[in-house]
Amino acid sequence: MARTVLTGIKPTGTPHLGNYVGAIKPALALAKAAASALYFVADYHALTIIHDARKLRDSVQEVAATWLALGLDPTKVAFYRQSDVPETFELAWILSCFTAKGLMNRAHAYKAAVARNLESRGGAAGVDDIDDLDAGINLGLYSYPVLMAADILLFKTNVVPVGKDQAQHIEIARDIAQRFNAIYGPILVLPEARIDADTAVIPGLDGRKMSKSYDNIIPLFSPPERLRKLIFKYKTDSSPPSEPKDPDTSTLFHLYREFATPEETEALRGRYRSGIGWGEAKEAVFEVLSRTLEEPRRRYAELMADPARVDALLTEGAARAREMAQGTIQETRRAVFAR
Ligand code: TRP
C-alpha cells in the first residue's frame, strides 16, 4: 500500500546531537522507505512566537541546510516552506469550522501558557479572570493544532514522525478529520503518529536528556576542536582506569552506541569490562562522532554559504507539494459548498 509520510520542522534553536539521533535520523530513514514523503519547515507555526523577521528567516535557512546536509534528498522528498503552500491555510480555515473550541482549550501548549499566567498571579483566579489568564497568548498559538492538522490532512498523510510532545496534536488532527468525514463522507485520511523511541533519547553534558532548555547540548556542526572539548566535559566518576566499568550505566557509552557500528559497540563494551580510562572512552566517542559528522559539517557550511541554492530547493519543493495538495483541496471545497 502506498504510504505517505509527512513531518513539520520548527525552525528554532541550534540543532544538536539529540535532535539528530532522536528525530532527524529516524525521520530520514522513514522517508527513504515511504512511497511518498513531504517534509517542511513550519515557518507559520514559528510565527506564533518569533516576531523578528530576520531571525525567523535565518532559522529557516539554518534548519533547511541542516536537514539537507544530513542527507535529505530533495529529489525524493518534497521539501518546502509551509508558507509557500497557501492551500494549507485554506484547509486550516475549513477545518477550524469543524473544530470544537473546547478541544483547543485542552491542547497542552495552550494549557501550559495559561498555567504560567495562573502561576504568575499567585495561583488564584476566578472565572472573571479569564482575560488575564490569556495574557500574552495570541490566537495563532491557540489554534496552532488546527494549522498542524491542515499540514497533515492536506496530503492524506498516513504516518507522521514526531516527538512525544506532539502526540496530542496528531490525536487532534484525527479528531478533526473524523468530524469532517462524519458529515461529508470519507474524504480525509486519519494519520498515525510515529513517536520517536525513548531509547533514542541521548544524554546531554550533565547526563539529563540533551535539550536546549537544560543548556547541556552538543551542537551538531561544532568544529572538531570544540566537539572534542564538549565531549571531555561529560561528567565521570573518579574510578581509576584499571577498574572495570559498567557500560550500561555510562552516558559516554550510550552516546558511542548511537554512532558506532554494532561491532565497534561490542568492542568498547569489552574495554569497559576489562577497565578503561575515562579519557580513553571520551577519545573513542570523539572519534566516532567526528567520523559521522565530518561530511555533513562540510555540506552544511557549503549550503549556509549559498542561501540562494537552499531557497531554490525549497521553492521547487513547494511547487511539487502544491500540486499534490490539489486533490484534497478540490474534494473538500466540493464537499462543503456542493460545487
Ligand atoms: N508542531 C511541530 C513541532 O513543534 C511542528 C509541526 C508543524 C508539525 N506542523 C506539523 C509536525 C505537521 C508534524 C506534522 O515540532
Side-chain angles (χ1 to χ4, degrees):
M1 193 182 101
R3 304 279 282 173
T4 297
V5 178
L6 170 144
T7 200
I9 306 150
K10 259 219 312 234
T12 42
T14 310
H16 57 73
L17 283 183
N19 300 138
Y20 175 61
V21 173
I24 303 176
K25 202 166 128 194
L28 289 176
L30 203 57
K32 246 189 202 145
S36 164
L38 301 105
Y39 286 11
F40 64 94
V41 183
D43 53 353
Y44 262 125
H45 275 115
L47 188 62
T48 62
I49 299 167
I50 307 176
H51 293 168
D52 175 334
R54 200 157 295 172
K55 198 172 138 208
L56 184 49
R57 188 196 58 196
D58 291 349
S59 304
V60 170
Q61 171 79 24
E62 228 180 280
V63 82
T66 299
W67 282 68
L68 290 165
L70 291 169
L72 185 146
D73 177 354
T75 66
K76 302 249 161 65
V77 180
F79 189 47
Y80 57 94
R81 271 191 216 87
Q82 182 187 33
S83 61
D84 282 342
V85 180
E87 286 78 3
T88 306
F89 314 105
E90 182 174 351
L91 185 61
W93 177 262
I94 296 176
L95 296 178
S96 74
C97 299
F98 297 88
T99 305
K101 176 173 171 286
L103 189 63
M104 296 298 96
N105 290 339
R106 292 190 290 278
H108 295 324
Y110 171 66
K111 271 173 69 177
V114 170
R116 277 194 298 274
N117 280 341
L118 185 61
E119 201 176 328
S120 72
R121 22 181 5 281
V127 246
D128 295 340
D129 299 319
I130 190 148
D131 291 341
D132 284 355
L133 291 184
D134 277 337
I137 300 171
N138 62 53
L139 193 54
L141 184 76
Y142 185 64
S143 55
Y144 186 113
V146 180
L147 180 56
M148 185 157 156
D151 293 328
I152 297 168
L153 300 175
L154 184 59
F155 299 101
K156 301 195 189 276
T157 303
N158 304 107
V159 179
V160 188
V162 281
K164 246 203 292 214
D165 63 323
Q166 298 296 310
Q168 189 198 29
H169 288 148
I170 312 297
E171 279 308 312
I172 291 175
R174 292 172 65 94
D175 252 47
I176 299 174
Q178 262 164 333
R179 281 177 81 123
F180 186 92
N181 286 353
I183 302 170
Y184 300 105
I187 292 174
L188 302 174
V189 171
L190 305 196
E192 256 171 59
R194 176 75 52 92
I195 310 284
D196 313 330
D198 245 357
T199 48
V201 168
I202 82 153
L205 294 176
D206 56 0
R208 291 188 289 176
K209 176 185 172 179
M210 188 175 287
S211 162
K212 202 175 52 156
S213 44
Y214 293 151
D215 199 18
N216 65 358
I217 68 163
I218 299 185
L220 260 183
F221 302 123
S222 317
E225 322 76 63
R226 173 99 187 113
L227 180 62
R228 192 165 184 282
K229 231 184 218 151
L230 285 171
I231 290 166
F232 272 78
K233 272 193 177 169
Y234 270 98
K235 281 195 201 99
T236 47
D237 60 29
S238 56
S239 55
S242 58
E243 200 174 298
K245 296 176 175 61
D246 180 8
D248 296 319
T249 57
S250 163
T251 302
L252 287 164
F253 186 77
H254 284 261
L255 195 55
Y256 185 84
R257 199 173 51 186
E258 292 297 339
F259 292 88
T261 65
E263 296 78 42
E264 289 170 328
T265 304
E266 279 323 294
L268 189 68
R269 188 184 288 281
R271 286 172 71 194
Y272 263 72
R273 293 259 157 77
S274 60
I276 185 173
W278 289 124
E280 286 170 71
K282 288 174 176 175
E283 206 58 64
V285 170
F286 170 66
E287 261 157 41
V288 83
L289 273 173
S290 326
R291 180 184 75 196
T292 314
L293 296 173
E294 192 180 294
E295 183 59 20
R297 186 196 299 124
R298 196 187 52 71
R299 279 199 298 257
Y300 178 76
E302 243 172 55
L303 289 161
M304 288 305 279
D306 190 0
R309 182 155 153 239
V310 176
D311 243 39
L313 284 174
L314 291 170
T315 304
E316 227 173 82
R320 271 162 55 211
R322 291 193 70 180
E323 230 175 86
M324 294 161 83
Q326 293 315 311
T328 312
I329 280 295
Q330 273 157 24
E331 284 171 73
T332 48
R333 265 192 212 161
R334 206 175 298 138
V336 298
F337 298 125
R339 70 180 179 97

